[in-house]
């Protein structure tokens, strides 16, 4: 099998307002990139694979782009369906999210939860983690970026660290054909919430530049159908031209968000009754009129990221 013969199949699982996308790499040692939530492997992946003449039992690699609930939630269930034979791969910085449901609650409390006036917020995140994470587990392989994974038959996948959306976000690249899986690391204008979400703005920007200048995707696979400025979705399978456009737009949008956030922080944060409090001026400057309280609350996630970069705010 040559590299160019490696087929990629999107596997979609519904969850509320979101379509959760995983991808099947049809290699001699088949891989699935990201796993949706607890129900996704049995209800979404298995029948989709059967429809193309493949079996979920034969999957030998589970490649996780990052640790968020909708990407690792189905990992344990998928691992079980492979007879526990698949190797589960995640970056060491996001591994706590695979090992512990409580880590998702801790992330909420330390970040966006500081701004959401919801006395039941912690309980809701706890309930969600219990419901949609199929099991806590230890990964088979921790990566940092720079590793090469062999999927048999000469097919290799290289691992690239692209932090920013989360500390442990990675891109998986099918070598020889530049098929690149980035999870949620290319946000453009965001997905269903209409705002890009990242925990570390500087790292997010540097990772986008790295993708543009070094990785240069020929085929780019996104974790959700992220949107253009007019609200229309890209879809999750982008060709080379669309990939370059999405990365460039993501950089442009981050620059605008950074300008608005930094101006807001420089003026001093003032609590108000607005749902955008204390970042009302930033929302107004950006023309953001979405509901900032809807999980995963990317508006507050990103604003908090800029605040962490400005410790005097």
């Amino acid at each position: 099998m040559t590299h160019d013969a490696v087929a990629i199949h999107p596997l979609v699982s519904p969850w509320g307002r979101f379509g959760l996308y995983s991808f099947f790499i049809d290699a001699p040692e088949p891989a699935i990139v990201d796993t949706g939530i607890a129900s996704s492997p049995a209800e979404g992946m298995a029948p989709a694979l059967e429809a193309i003449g493949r079996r979920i039992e034969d999957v030998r690699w589970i490649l996780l782009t990052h640790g968020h609930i909708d990407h690792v939630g189905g990992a344990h269930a998928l691992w079980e369906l492979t007879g526990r034979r698949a190797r589960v791969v995640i970056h060491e910085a996001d591994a706590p999210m695979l090992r512990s449901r409580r880590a998702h609650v801790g992330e909420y409390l330390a970040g966006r939860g500081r701004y959401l006036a919801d006395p039941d917020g912690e309980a809701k995140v706890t309930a969600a983690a219990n419901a949609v994470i199929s099991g806590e587990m230890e990964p088979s392989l921790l990566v940092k970026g720079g590793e090469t994974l062999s999927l048999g038959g000469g097919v290799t996948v290289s691992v690239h660290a692209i932090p920013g959306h989360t500390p442990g976000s990675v891109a998986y690249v099918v070598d020889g054909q530049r098929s690149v899986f980035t999870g949620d690391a290319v946000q453009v204008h965001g997905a269903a919430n209409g705002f890009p979400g990242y925990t570390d703005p500087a790292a997010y920007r540097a990772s986008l530049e790295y993708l543009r200048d070094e990785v240069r995707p020929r085929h780019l696979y996104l974790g959700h159908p992220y949107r253009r400025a007019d609200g229309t979705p890209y879809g999750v399978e982008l060709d080379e031209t669309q990939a370059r456009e999405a990365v460039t737009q993501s950089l442009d949008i981050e620059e605008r968000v950074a300008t608005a956030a930094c101006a807001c922080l420089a003026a001093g944060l003032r609590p108000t009754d607005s749902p955008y409090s204390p970042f009302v001026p930033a929302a107004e400057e950006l023309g953001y009129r979405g509901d900032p309280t809807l999980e995963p609350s990317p508006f507050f996630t990103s604003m908090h990221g800029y605040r962490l970069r400005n410790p005097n705010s």
Side-chain angles (χ1 to χ4, degrees), residues 92-114:
E92 60 183 11
D94 279 17
M97 311 291 272
L98 184 64
R99 295 181 176 123
S100 168
R101 291 182 175 95
R102 184 66 193 176
H104 296 266
V105 182
E107 182 203 38
Y108 168 83
L109 293 174
R112 63 196 185 277
R114 295 175 56 175

Side-chain angles (χ1 to χ4, degrees), residues 117-134:
D118 185 354
D120 300 320
E122 180 176 357
K124 290 176 181 176
V125 176
T126 300
N130 289 336
V132 304
I133 295 177
S134 54

Side-chain angles (χ1 to χ4, degrees), residues 2-9 23-26 33 63 65 151 155-160 170-183 211 215-222 236-240 243:
T2 65
H3 292 296
D4 288 335
V6 180
I8 312 296
H9 300 276
F23 298 93
F24 178 70
I25 304 175
D26 197 0
V33 180
L63 308 178
T65 62
L151 274 58
V155 178
T156 59
V157 169
S158 57
V159 183
H160 300 255
V170 300
Y172 296 102
V173 180
V174 181
D175 297 320
Q177 65 188 53
R178 299 210 317 268
S179 294
V180 183
F181 306 87
T182 54
L211 287 168
V215 178
R216 296 178 293 111
R218 187 178 299 151
H219 313 279
L220 182 62
Y221 298 91
L222 306 177
V236 296
E237 301 176 86
L238 280 60
D239 63 23
E240 189 166 7

Side-chain angles (χ1 to χ4, degrees), residues 190-214:
N193 286 49
F195 201 90
Y198 36 85
T199 60
D200 184 333
Y204 176 70
R205 183 168 192 84
S207 293
L208 289 168
E209 292 170 343
Y210 174 75
L211 287 168
R212 179 193 64 192
D213 300 335
E214 302 296 331

Side-chain angles (χ1 to χ4, degrees), residues 18 65-66 68 70-71 162-166 169 182-201 203-205 207-209 211 220-229 231-235 238 242-257 288 295-302 306:
F18 298 94
T65 62
H66 65 291
H68 280 163
D70 53 328
H71 294 258
I162 49 169
H165 179 65
T166 67
S169 290
T182 54
D184 295 351
V186 179
Q187 288 267 317
V188 201
H189 281 268
N193 286 49
F195 201 90
Y198 36 85
T199 60
D200 184 333
Y204 176 70
R205 183 168 192 84
S207 293
L208 289 168
E209 292 170 343
L211 287 168
L220 182 62
Y221 298 91
L222 306 177
H224 305 279
Y226 288 103
R227 302 181 182 191
R228 301 175 177 85
T232 59
Y234 272 100
L238 280 60
Q242 293 170 326
R244 187 165 53 249
E245 177 185 292
V247 171
T248 299
Q249 283 199 13
S250 295
L251 284 163
D252 292 344
I253 295 156
E254 189 283 322
E255 185 176 10
R256 294 205 300 272
V257 174
Y288 179 58
E295 281 288 80
S297 306
F299 175 77
F300 285 124
T301 295
S302 297
Y306 291 105

Side-chain angles (χ1 to χ4, degrees), residues 239-287:
D239 63 23
E240 189 166 7
T241 299
Q242 293 170 326
R244 187 165 53 249
E245 177 185 292
V247 171
T248 299
Q249 283 199 13
S250 295
L251 284 163
D252 292 344
I253 295 156
E254 189 283 322
E255 185 176 10
R256 294 205 300 272
V257 174
T259 298
C262 291
C264 180
L265 290 164
L269 298 180
R270 299 178 181 84
T272 70
D273 292 333
S274 167
Y276 304 97
S277 177
F279 303 105
V280 178
E284 291 177 344
E285 175 65 24
L286 294 165

